Amino acid sequence: MSTSRDRDDFTYEQQNDRRLDELHSKIRSLRSVTTDIYDEAERGNTHLDETINTFASFRTSLSQSANRAARALGLRSNISQFRMILYVVGAIVLLWVLWKIFAWFWWRVPAH
């Protein structure tokens, strides 16, 4: 009777050991995935910081360029800068419209 019980105990012990090994394997996999996620988040944060620094540098450079252009054109107030921007945008739109009209007349196929 004791040998049957010993065999059952041994079988249960083996099953427990297998399940424990499976659990350790799952924990290692989970740890690996967690580490990969952490590393990717760190790389993303580093990339985001670099992007923020690049845009801040661009903003500063653009602001300095706008100030130099305003001084060169003799523009001192924001209203004058706004007016100059409107003139430039209007000129671009006008040139685009003229180009479309010219292209329409130039490429128009005469009817036979």
Side-chain angles (χ1 to χ4, degrees):
M1 184 87 146
S2 122
T3 57
S4 173
R5 183 176 174 109
D6 289 340
R7 266 187 301 204
D8 288 343
D9 288 343
F10 182 73
T11 303
Y12 291 142
E13 188 70 29
Q14 284 180 330
Q15 288 175 352
N16 285 342
D17 288 342
R18 274 195 308 267
R19 289 190 177 138
L20 188 60
D21 289 340
E22 290 172 2
L23 183 61
H24 282 300
S25 175
K26 289 178 183 180
I27 288 172
R28 280 191 298 273
S29 296
L30 184 60
R31 185 178 296 142
S32 174
V33 168
T34 304
T35 302
D36 291 344
I37 290 171
Y38 175 79
D39 291 342
E40 184 62 31
E42 285 297 313
R43 281 191 297 273
N45 284 338
T46 301
H47 184 65
L48 187 59
D49 289 342
E50 290 171 359
T51 303
I52 288 170
N53 291 338
T54 300
F55 276 108
S57 173
F58 176 72
R59 183 186 66 211
T60 302
S61 176
L62 185 61
S63 175
Q64 290 172 351
S65 296
N67 288 337
R68 276 182 276 171
R71 274 187 265 127
L73 296 172
L75 303 174
R76 295 290 181 216
S77 68
N78 287 336
I79 294 173
S80 297
Q81 285 180 338
F82 181 71
R83 191 176 299 150
M84 181 58 80
I85 291 170
L86 284 178
Y87 289 150
V88 170
V89 170
I92 291 171
V93 169
L94 180 65
L95 288 172
W96 181 79
V97 169
L98 289 174
W99 178 68
K100 286 294 188 178
I101 291 172
F102 178 73
W104 185 74
F105 281 116
W106 183 263
W107 295 106
R108 192 170 168 198
V109 178
H112 292 286

